[in-house]
């Protein structure tokens, strides 16, 4: 077989690991799922390759979406980190900001500082806001500051100095001295992780990067060794939060960039599917076993942000603007007082929902769907896991002791509806709360559980159109194959636009562009085809938040940028003031090496009829109805199915409610016209 025609994407989720093997020569995708192994993701990674018959020595590109960094932070299992910072500033990561992330939560407790106070060390140094060095780092002074500890006893170090974004010289000098003292312990500097102003966010991001660096280094090293043993000679590529991929070498140095690794791949795949279907405005809904991730795509463009949070800690890494909620197939249902709750706790892959028969006893969303007959007990989940209705019924039945007024089936419906309401609230966060009406968008549902909830979720939001792509349970893995090699660069330069010349931005963008070329050359990647996207962060003088504006050239006119900002502020917040002074905060460049396009469509059969393979009794809003069950691979293009119906495929199930109409388009997408429930 032709080695250059094969690419493989592997996305590790909380419950399943998804894989897509794409053959360019045959224009064919082979997809599969295997259970994730939370103890060692590399086991599921290699199992996934084996299931699709991917020989590492005969595959051109291996791309990976991983949750190693995410899980290490969420579970508090990062390495033991020490902080080296400017004298007088070691408490920044504990003081943080004065804002409340949940305004009306009277019991809100701030997350504990990422590093205990005894592990934070200060050194006399000073860099001024303009980049001038007021006091250089003294190597002897640094050694004296660390005399009370053994630098090599920590798993990682974070070096965070005041104003290091303006001039990294002091951080780099401290890093070199610290490296001599700490041996091979990884060291993260704020000037290389998040080189922009705002000390708390920069320090937090750098500490998070240091905390997950040891785990990511071990994990990526293990996977690359396994691939190398199998004959794969090229660097593995890792999905990053910004929607592009990076080499494993780069991911080892900047593991914080992979915090949204898998979900970002899903959004990349969703945009490609939407473009192929001629849809510019979509809201993505990726529902897996542990959580649901949603994002908004407007005019074919993915929204990005640099103001993310994970486990309550801020990050300043460019990322796709994704909002996550703890509602997935494995989300656990419980009763608090007399109130039914769903999530955020999840049964995960092990032991999983009660119906898996792997020892789990807590009732989950998957158990509820099985009782409602939306899942087929005779069809192993994703071809891997046998389902046991009796165990699901017993698990949900145990909730009746706390809610005696409901029978088991009513409880199952309540669990599914609560999960739907939670997801609808999350979609409102990315749409209504940001000035968008979800009724103006198409809901693009994917993930193993997304198509099962799509109709009810759309109805909850007043949306009337749903698109379900081919292989929805594997779209995040497919998105990896569609993502370019990408790196992001930033320079802080707080200046009023009225005082700036276009040449200043030209010079900064040229420096950032050169830095991008250098990074790709360091990874031994071709630079002739690099594409650059320029943007700036702008705000009114006195504001704390910014808006990001795209720049068509390296030399944007400051007056034009000011006018564009007024218009963007009006669109985002409903007001603007052309008389208020505007200032630029950051200049940014994204350098990307595009990937060759893939023909991602899945041609539906041209002939035949939509004949159901069986009929099953399914519960809808208190009524049990006879529901035709179809195999998706047999549905011909142009066919129309009026609900109720179930459409099954490997890795996912689409539920068509009685009021819905489903049509199959020429590219194999399912288009659902949602009726009133």
């Amino acid at each position: 077989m032709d080695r250059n025609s094969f690419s493989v994407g592997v996305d590790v989720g909380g419950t399943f690991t998804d894989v897509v093997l794409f053959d360019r020569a045959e224009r064919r995708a082979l997809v599969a799922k295997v259970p994730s192994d939370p103890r060692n993701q590399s086991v599921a990674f290699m199992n996934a390759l084996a299931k699709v018959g991917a020989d590492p020595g005969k595959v051109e590109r291996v791309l990976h979406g991983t949750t190693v960094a995410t899980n290490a932070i969420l579970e508090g299992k990062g390495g033991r980190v020490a902080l080296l910072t400017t004298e007088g500033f070691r408490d920044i990561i504990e003081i943080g900001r004065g804002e409340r992330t949940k305004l009306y939560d009277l019991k809100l407790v701030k997350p504990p500082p990422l590093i205990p106070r005894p592990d934070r060390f200060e050194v006399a140094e000073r860099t001024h806001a303009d980049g001038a060095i007021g006091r250089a780092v003294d190597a002897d002074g640094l050694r004296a500051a660390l005399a009370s500890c053994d630098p090599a006893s920590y798993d990682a170090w974070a070096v965070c100095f005041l104003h290091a974004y303006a001039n990294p010289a002091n951080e780099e000098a401290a890093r070199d001295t610290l490296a001599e003292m700490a041996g091979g312990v990884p060291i993260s500097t704020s000037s290389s992780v998040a080189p922009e102003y705002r000390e708390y966010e920069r320090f937090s991001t750098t500490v998070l990067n240091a905390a997950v660096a040891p785990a990511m280094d071990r994990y990526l090293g293990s996977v690359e060794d396994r691939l190398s043993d199998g004959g794969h000679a090229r660097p593995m590529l890792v999905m990053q939060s910004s929607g592009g991929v990076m080499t494993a070498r780069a991911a080892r140095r900047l593991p914080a960039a992979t915090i949204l690794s898998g979900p970002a791949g899903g959004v990349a795949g969703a945009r490609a599917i939407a473009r192929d279907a001629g849809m510019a405005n979509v809201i993505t809904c990726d529902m897996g076993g542990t959580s649901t991730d949603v994002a908004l795509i407007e005019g074919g463009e993915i929204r990005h942000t640099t103001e993310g949070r994970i486990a309550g800690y801020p990050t300043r890494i460019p990322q796709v603007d994704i909002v996550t909620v703890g509602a997935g197939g494995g989300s656990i249902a419980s009763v608090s007082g007399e109130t039914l709750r769903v999530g955020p706790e999840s049964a995960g892959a092990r032991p999983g929902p009660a119906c898996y028969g792997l020892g789990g006893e807590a009732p989950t969303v998957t158990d509820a769907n099985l009782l409602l007959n939306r899942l087929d007990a005779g069809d192993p989940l994703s071809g891997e896991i046998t389902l046991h209705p009796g165990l699901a019924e017993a698990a949900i039945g145990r909730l009746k002791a706390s809610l005696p007024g409901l029978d088991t089936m009513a409880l199952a419906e309540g669990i599914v509806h609560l999960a739907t309401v939670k997801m609808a609230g999350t979609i409102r966060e990315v749409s209504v709360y940001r000035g968008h009406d979800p009724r103006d968008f198409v809901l693009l549902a994917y993930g193993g559980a997304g198509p099962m909830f799509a109709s009810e979720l759309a109805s909850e939001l007043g949306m009337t159109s749903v698109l379900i792509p081919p292989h929805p349970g594997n779209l995040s893995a497919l998105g990896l194959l569609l993502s370019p090699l990408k790196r992001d660069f930033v320079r802080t330069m707080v200046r009023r636009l009225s005082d700036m010349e276009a040449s200043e931005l030209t010079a900064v963008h040229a420096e950032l562009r050169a830095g991008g070329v250098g990074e790709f050359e360091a990874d031994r990647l071709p630079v002739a085809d690099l594409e650059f996207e320029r943007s700036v962060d702008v705000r009114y003088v006195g504001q704390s938040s910014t808006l990001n504006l795209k720049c068509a050239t390296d030399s944007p006119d400051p007056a034009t940028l000011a006018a564009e900002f007024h218009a963007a502020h009006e669109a985002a917040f409903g007001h603007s003031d052309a008389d208020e002074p505007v200032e630029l905060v950051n200049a940014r460049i994204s350098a990307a090496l595009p990937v060759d396009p893939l023909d991602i469509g899945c041609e539906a059969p041209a002939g035949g009829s939509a004949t159901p393979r069986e009929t099953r009794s399914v519960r809808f809003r208190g009524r049990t109805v006879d529901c035709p069950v179809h195999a998706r691979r047999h549905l011909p293009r142009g066919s129309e199915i009026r609900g109720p119906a179930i459409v099954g495929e490997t890795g996912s199930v689409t539920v068509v409610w009685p009021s819905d109409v489903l049509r199959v388009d020429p590219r194999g997408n399912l288009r659902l016209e949602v009726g009133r429930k």
Side-chain angles (χ1 to χ4, degrees):
M1 77 181 172
D2 182 3
R3 174 182 181 277
N4 292 324
S5 69
F6 286 89
S7 298
V8 63
V10 180
D11 176 49
V12 178
T15 305
F16 285 102
T17 292
D18 307 328
V19 58
V20 173
L21 177 68
F22 193 86
D23 183 349
R24 290 177 181 274
E26 298 291 332
R27 294 171 50 206
R28 182 172 62 94
L30 185 62
V31 305
K33 284 177 176 281
V34 299
S36 295
D37 188 334
R39 297 163 297 184
N40 186 349
Q41 289 192 9
S42 64
V43 173
F45 182 98
M46 299 308 295
N47 288 344
L49 293 185
K51 189 163 184 180
V52 293
D55 182 344
K58 297 178 180 179
V59 173
E60 178 189 16
R61 300 172 79 235
V62 177
L63 302 100
H64 186 22
T66 174
T67 57
V68 167
T70 312
N71 292 343
I73 296 169
L74 294 177
E75 297 171 9
K77 295 180 179 178
R80 181 170 173 251
V81 183
L83 172 69
L84 179 65
T85 190
T86 305
E87 188 175 54
F89 289 87
R90 71 172 179 169
D91 292 324
I92 277 182
I93 63 169
E94 187 164 358
I95 296 170
R97 299 283 176 196
E99 83 274 17
R100 296 175 62 85
T101 54
K102 294 182 180 179
L103 191 61
Y104 300 108
D105 185 351
L106 300 180
K107 298 180 180 180
L108 179 67
V109 177
K110 290 176 61 176
L114 287 160
I115 300 176
R117 201 165 194 266
D119 296 328
R120 305 176 216 152
F121 302 90
E122 300 178 340
V123 63
E125 71 82 34
R126 180 52 61 96
T127 301
H128 298 302
D130 62 359
I133 301 295
R135 181 171 183 173
V137 170
D138 178 75
D140 292 336
L142 176 55
R143 292 188 177 92
L146 302 181
S148 62
C149 76
D150 175 10
S153 68
Y154 292 96
D155 296 317
W157 277 84
V159 179
C160 303
F161 289 168
L162 204 65
H163 301 307
Y165 62 86
N167 186 343
N170 273 1
E171 279 196 349
E172 291 171 352
R175 177 201 60 202
D176 294 342
T177 302
L178 183 57
E180 297 173 5
M181 303 170 66
V185 173
I187 300 171
S188 298
T189 61
S190 74
S191 53
S192 62
V193 173
E196 55 183 289
Y197 96 136
R198 290 185 179 273
E199 278 66 40
Y200 172 52
E201 290 79 4
R202 178 161 51 89
F203 286 19
S204 172
T205 307
T206 306
V207 172
L208 288 171
N209 191 78
V212 299
M216 279 292 283
D217 186 64
R218 289 192 299 269
Y219 172 70
L220 293 177
S222 171
V223 174
E224 286 203 300
D225 287 345
R226 289 171 179 247
L227 290 173
S228 179
D229 291 343
H232 187 69
R234 298 194 179 190
M236 181 176 69
L237 302 177
V238 180
M239 190 69 190
Q240 53 184 320
S241 305
S242 65
V245 296
M246 57 174 30
T247 62
R249 183 192 76 87
R252 282 186 168 97
R253 291 190 297 106
L254 194 60
T258 68
I259 287 172
L260 288 178
S261 181
V267 177
R271 177 174 63 174
I273 290 289
R275 284 180 172 176
D276 193 51
M279 297 177 176
N281 297 337
V282 300
I283 294 174
T284 71
C285 178
D286 177 6
M287 185 180 185
T290 304
S291 62
T292 297
D293 305 297
V294 303
L296 185 142
I297 299 174
E298 183 180 25
E301 296 298 321
I302 297 173
R303 294 167 60 101
H304 291 79
T305 182
T306 57
E307 298 181 358
R309 282 184 177 269
I310 180 167
Y313 303 109
T315 64
R316 277 284 174 174
I317 297 290
Q319 62 187 56
V320 176
D321 191 0
I322 293 172
V323 178
T324 301
V325 63
S331 293
I332 294 173
S334 60
V335 177
S336 177
E338 296 183 353
T339 302
L340 183 65
R341 298 173 61 250
V342 175
E345 300 83 5
S346 173
R350 299 283 177 175
C355 63
Y356 283 12
L358 300 176
E361 296 184 351
T364 67
V365 173
T366 296
D367 294 309
N369 274 312
L370 182 59
L371 284 191
L372 298 175
N373 253 358
R374 297 176 187 181
L375 288 173
D376 183 0
D379 187 9
L381 197 62
S382 296
E384 289 281 340
I385 298 175
T386 301
L387 300 178
H388 304 273
L391 295 177
E393 185 174 6
I396 293 177
R398 284 191 284 273
L399 294 176
K400 290 195 296 184
S402 301
L403 297 171
L406 297 176
D407 62 24
T408 303
M409 295 301 288
L411 278 169
E413 283 198 284
I415 290 169
V416 170
H417 184 65
L418 276 178
T420 303
V421 170
K422 287 186 69 172
M423 289 186 286
T426 305
I427 288 178
R428 290 188 182 98
E429 284 190 50
V430 301
S431 57
V432 177
Y433 298 173
R434 300 177 188 178
H436 300 282
D437 188 338
R439 294 173 295 184
D440 297 333
F441 291 76
V442 174
L443 183 66
L444 202 159
Y446 56 99
M452 191 180 304
F453 283 80
S455 176
E456 187 175 8
L457 180 57
S459 180
E460 185 77 20
L461 293 160
M463 303 172 75
T464 58
S465 183
V466 172
L467 180 72
I468 298 167
H471 314 302
N474 294 73
L475 188 63
S476 290
L478 177 64
L480 302 177
L481 306 181
L482 303 169
S483 302
L485 277 152
K486 183 180 178 184
R487 295 299 303 274
D488 298 283
F489 305 89
V490 60
R491 176 73 55 80
T492 293
M493 46 185 305
V494 182
R495 295 281 307 281
R496 293 197 180 198
L497 287 174
S498 58
D499 297 335
M500 291 187 67
E501 298 291 338
S503 58
E504 294 181 65
L505 273 173
T506 303
V508 170
H509 277 141
E511 290 179 22
L512 294 175
R513 187 185 185 108
V517 171
E519 286 286 339
F520 276 79
E521 288 177 336
D523 278 332
R524 299 180 180 179
L525 297 169
V527 297
D529 296 327
L530 277 177
E531 296 179 355
F532 297 91
E533 182 179 85
R534 299 155 293 268
S535 67
V536 290
D537 297 336
V538 187
R539 67 185 181 189
Y540 286 120
V541 173
Q543 281 186 319
S544 60
S545 61
T546 62
L547 290 177
N548 182 260
L549 304 178
K550 297 289 189 294
C551 302
T553 68
D554 280 330
S555 306
D557 176 59
T560 301
L561 285 178
E564 291 176 356
F565 171 76
H566 293 308
H569 199 280
E570 180 75 32
F573 304 111
H575 66 93
S576 61
D577 191 340
D579 295 326
E580 282 292 315
V582 178
E583 65 183 359
L584 181 144
V585 178
N586 297 307
R588 299 182 182 276
I589 270 190
S590 292
L593 192 62
V595 65
D596 292 336
L598 301 180
D599 185 357
I600 58 174
C602 181
E603 293 281 347
S609 62
T611 304
R613 67 186 185 192
E614 61 175 325
T615 300
R616 195 162 75 228
S617 296
V618 180
R619 178 107 164 187
F620 293 97
R621 295 266 173 95
R623 293 190 305 119
T624 300
V625 299
D626 290 335
C627 192
V629 179
H630 298 263
R632 180 169 180 173
R633 66 180 182 275
H634 294 150
L635 292 178
R637 60 175 179 258
S639 58
E640 178 178 299
I641 298 173
R642 294 190 173 273
I646 299 290
V647 179
E649 60 186 300
T650 300
S652 190
V653 171
T654 299
V655 175
V656 185
W657 280 62
S659 55
D660 298 342
V661 178
L662 180 144
R663 297 179 178 86
V664 183
D665 74 12
R667 300 292 280 165
N669 299 299
L670 303 183
R671 302 198 183 205
L672 199 60
E673 182 183 313
V674 178
R676 298 182 64 180
K677 301 291 183 280

